[in-house]
Amino acid sequence: PGVVWLCATPGNPNAEHVIKKVQCATPDEAKARYQQAVRLMGLTHTHVVKYTAVQLPPTFDYVSVVMPFYSEDLGQRVRAFHGTMGEDWICSVTLQMLNALEFLHGHEPPILHCDIKPDNIMLFNNGSQVVLMDLDASHEMHAEAELRQGGEAAGHLRVVRAGDAPRGGRHR
C-alpha cells in the first residue's frame, strides 16, 4: 500500500526514479518499516529492486523509498498480449524470478516477499529482463521465532492444497 510518484534526477532527465510513500498507522509502524527499508537497501541483485534512499519524517506517519522506475510490468504485458507467448521468453522470466526468490530466501535472515503477482514483476531491457518490486510487504524470517503452524517451526515451508488450508486465521 502506498502512493508512487515518478521523478527525474536533477541534471539527468533520462535517469528516472520513483518515490513510494507508505502511510503508517502509528509511529512504531513507521519506525519498523523504516528500519526494514534501510536493511533492504543493502540488497544487491539483478532481479530484485534496489532501494536507493529511504526517509522517515519527524512526524513518523509515513516512510518514503526511492527506487528505479520501470515503465512496464508483467501484468501489463500479459493483458496486452494477443497470440502465443514464446516458450523461451516464459522460461526466461520464470528462471529470473526463481533466481530472485533464491537470493531473497538465501539471505540471512531469509526474506519472504509475501506479495508476488504479475504487477510486482517489472520488465526492462526490452522485456527480456525482470525485477521483483514491492518489497514493503516482505518479512524477514528469524530463527528465534517460536511461531508454530502444523507442527513446523516458522521458516519451514509446507505445501498445503487450497481445500486443506486451516480456516479462521491469517496464514502466510
Side-chain angles (χ1 to χ4, degrees), residues 22-45:
V22 179
Q23 205 63 43
C24 300
T26 66
D28 286 343
E29 178 191 354
K31 290 173 189 173
R33 284 186 178 270
Y34 172 77
Q35 291 167 351
Q36 178 188 25
V38 168
R39 287 190 300 274
L40 293 171
M41 278 180 64
L43 298 179
T44 303
H45 189 274

Side-chain angles (χ1 to χ4, degrees), residues 111-123:
I111 299 169
L112 301 181
H113 187 278
C114 299
D115 194 22
I116 296 174
K117 58 188 177 187
D119 295 343
N120 287 338
I121 301 169
M122 305 305 289
L123 303 174

Side-chain angles (χ1 to χ4, degrees), residues 128-149:
S128 67
Q129 298 285 305
V130 300
V131 65
L132 184 58
M133 300 288 286
D134 210 10
L135 295 175
D136 53 282
S138 68
H139 294 283
E140 294 175 331
M141 298 293 292
H142 295 282
E144 67 273 6
E146 293 297 327
L147 300 175
R148 302 230 174 241
Q149 176 181 337

